[in-house]
Amino acid sequence: GQNIDQPTEMTATEGAIVQINCTYQTSGFNGLFWYQQHAGEAPTFLSYNVLDGLEEKGRFSSFLSRSKGYSYLLLKELQMKDSASYLCAVSNYTGGGNKLTFGTGTQLKVEL
Amino acid sequence: GAGVSQSPSNKVTEKGKDVELRCDPISGHTALYWYRQRLGQGLEFLIYFQGNSAPDKSGLPSDRFSAERTGESVSTLTIQRTQQEDSAVYLCASSLVPRQGRNSPLHFGNGTRLTVT
């Protein structure tokens, strides 16, 4: 099976930087995704890492270390609209099938 | 182009009735996923289709749940004899075909909110 852990809640200040961590245990690893989900809405794709290192996309960056089973999502210049749940999802590829398992999400609250 | 479309957006049903939820994926997306999300909780994997076949049905909670996909397009999730614990948002997502070492992001529909009374 797969085990994905991320903090339940985080609070940060507008304009600041926040790092959301995710640790996982899986076999057949085929990449890690980060999604953003606002309350009552569908998740939207933020980033994807399959190799070690940092992927940068504007205010959002994501890092992966496969040997440590660890990823983080870095959000810079926080805005109020960044208040949402951030979901870490691990892709597991097993002979013809691809399964994406989500963590329970980190609820981020951005305050003034 | 159109995104993933799910219908109905809301469904209220009485305990014991059967319900059918529909998902129209993005055209050309051969991979299709169903997830369930209970209020305030994370996404629970239900089933995954590659084309019309389902390599992984391990997430279906019970034999009351079934899903099918035809024409590598539309998928339906059927819940028989609904129970109150089935109340949740059912999310469908589609993607291009994933490969070992190369993946494709899932695009989600807005979900069907199911309430069993």
Side-chain angles (χ1 to χ4, degrees), chain A residues 38 79-86 107-111:
Chain A
H38 285 99
Q79 302 174 9
M80 298 299 289
K81 67 178 182 179
D82 297 330
S83 293
S85 182
Y86 290 85
Q107 189 65 46
L108 174 66
K109 182 178 179 183
V110 180
E111 299 178 328

Side-chain angles (χ1 to χ4, degrees), chain A residues 82-111:
Chain A
D82 297 330
S83 293
S85 182
Y86 290 85
L87 310 174
C88 172
V90 174
S91 177
N92 167 253
Y93 188 86
T94 56
N98 187 77
K99 180 176 176 178
L100 194 62
T101 302
F102 284 80
T104 54
T106 298
Q107 189 65 46
L108 174 66
K109 182 178 179 183
V110 180
E111 299 178 328

Side-chain angles (χ1 to χ4, degrees), chain A residues 28-31 33 35 37 40-45 48 50 87 91 93 96-104, chain B residues 33 35 37 41-43 45 48 50 55-56 58 91 98-110 113:
Chain A
F29 178 78
N30 195 34
F33 292 85
Y35 280 81
Q37 187 178 29
E41 299 181 12
T44 54
F45 169 72
Y48 168 64
V50 67
L87 310 174
S91 177
Y93 188 86
N98 187 77
K99 180 176 176 178
L100 194 62
T101 302
F102 284 80
T104 54
Chain B
Y33 303 76
Y35 289 87
Q37 188 171 33
Q41 297 187 21
L43 274 69
F45 172 80
Y48 155 71
Q50 180 55 50
D56 192 341
S58 64
L91 290 163
R99 294 276 185 253
Q100 181 70 50
R102 180 171 62 82
N103 222 317
S104 181
L106 271 62
H107 298 265
F108 283 86
N110 288 327
R113 182 175 299 279

